[in-house]
Amino acid sequence: MTDTKLKIFSGSSNRALAEEICKSIGVPLGDATVTCFPDGESFVKINENIRGADTYFIQSTCPPTNHHLMELLIMIDAAKRASTSRITAVIPFYGYARQDRKDQPRVPITAKLVADLLTAAGANRVLAMDLHSQQIQGFFNIPVDHLFASPVFFQYLATKKFNKLVVFSPDVGGMKMAAAYADILGASLGLVAKKRVNANTVEAINVVGEVEGCDVLLVDDITETAGTLTAAAKILKDHGARSIRAAVSHCVLNEIAYERLKGGLIDELITTNSVPIDTRGLPITVLSIAPLLGEAILRINTNESVTSLFKIKGF
């Protein structure tokens, strides 16, 4: 496979990221028509020969989620029927990941359903970043390379000066990730206990760890309404936090989130370009994951180790 030609294509969800990935590794972005019929059905045509190629499709399943997911499935099907050698779905943000178990009666496990759809469409491999939970890798019957955005965050945070840094997880589920961040940053560790009132509202009820006079870094994998982050930030401010930053891998922000961020509880929201994001003049810092994804694509193409990209092998 080491001499197999590398072809990279982009869906419509995050073309800017795909272009940046290709620029970082010196590979041209493939020519494909990705559009819609008048009735909204997706149409894909690959405009170059990919017979026998090692083909990568870059597509985040961010809103409109269903449209972008269907587009990715159609691109994979088109490549399979064009006799490409191997198809890798590069999914910087894996949608439907939060429904990864049956936590109440008669609900689906959509993370598994999406995995089945990708496999059925013809994907031979998946390259994803910061999945909502590690076990999603086991939902696939094909290889999954799981990347972490943490090296990009560490590089940025190394340029900042902190007064007694404490890394906090805004919920119990993120403690492993927070512990990894605290370890590599040489910081203390804390937890904000929360209670979810409804899908859009979260109430922070307790703080475990030192806060008074400290710089706080909240770490999470995804935020949509910023409810968990702002609720945690408020209780931490009330306990005397000097400053509050948040490092979140995927910011799929809606109008509720922007309104909450305008409140000023979070001094800086640090995120990646795994999904397109409009900062709207708010203190949002967007870091690029393009070099990381580009290096991973090159390593997969040449059958090298992807795991060796990381000091921390998992959360």
Side-chain angles (χ1 to χ4, degrees), residues 108-314:
I109 303 179
T110 54
K112 167 63 173 165
L113 174 62
V114 171
D116 288 342
L117 289 170
L118 289 165
T119 307
N124 305 115
R125 190 177 205 97
V126 168
L127 175 61
M129 172 165 280
D130 277 354
L131 292 168
H132 185 62
S133 54
Q134 291 277 344
Q135 65 264 28
I136 290 172
Q137 296 173 71
F139 293 170
F140 288 88
N141 293 321
I142 56 175
V144 176
D145 288 300
H146 188 207
L147 303 184
F148 305 102
S150 51
V152 179
F153 287 123
F154 296 151
Q155 189 176 4
Y156 174 76
L157 292 168
T159 66
K160 301 288 182 183
K161 289 186 178 178
F162 297 105
N163 177 51
K164 212 172 179 183
L165 179 64
V166 184
V167 178
F168 268 83
S169 172
D171 56 40
V172 176
M175 276 303 290
K176 200 171 180 183
M177 181 193 289
Y181 272 72
D183 184 52
I184 202 160
L185 293 170
S188 302
L189 181 64
L191 166 69
V192 176
K194 73 173 185 182
K195 179 175 70 176
R196 182 166 289 280
V197 179
N198 56 48
N200 294 328
T201 309
V202 169
E203 182 184 341
I205 54 175
N206 203 0
V207 172
V208 179
E210 187 179 4
V211 183
E212 183 75 39
C214 298
D215 289 320
V216 171
L217 176 68
L218 287 164
V219 295
D220 210 350
D221 65 314
I222 179 173
T223 188
E224 213 170 20
T225 64
T228 298
L229 290 178
T230 51
K234 185 178 187 308
I235 197 169
L236 289 167
K237 285 271 189 188
D238 293 343
H239 280 70
R242 181 171 172 266
S243 70
I244 297 176
R245 287 179 172 85
V248 182
S249 305
H250 313 294
C251 278
V252 192
L253 302 179
N254 57 22
E255 289 303 321
I256 297 171
Y258 284 112
E259 286 303 314
R260 284 173 172 162
L261 291 171
K262 283 177 186 175
L265 288 168
I266 296 172
D267 298 299
E268 183 184 18
L269 175 58
I270 310 160
T271 187
T272 72
N273 58 346
S274 63
V275 299
I277 184 166
D278 180 7
T279 62
R280 299 194 187 181
L282 293 166
I284 301 173
T285 302
V286 183
L287 308 177
S288 179
I289 54 171
L292 193 61
L293 285 168
E295 179 63 24
I297 288 171
L298 286 180
R299 290 189 181 205
I300 293 169
N301 177 248
T302 55
N303 294 322
E304 293 178 57
S305 169
V306 173
T307 313
S308 57
L309 277 170
F310 305 100
K311 291 179 185 176
I312 296 174
K313 305 302 182 191

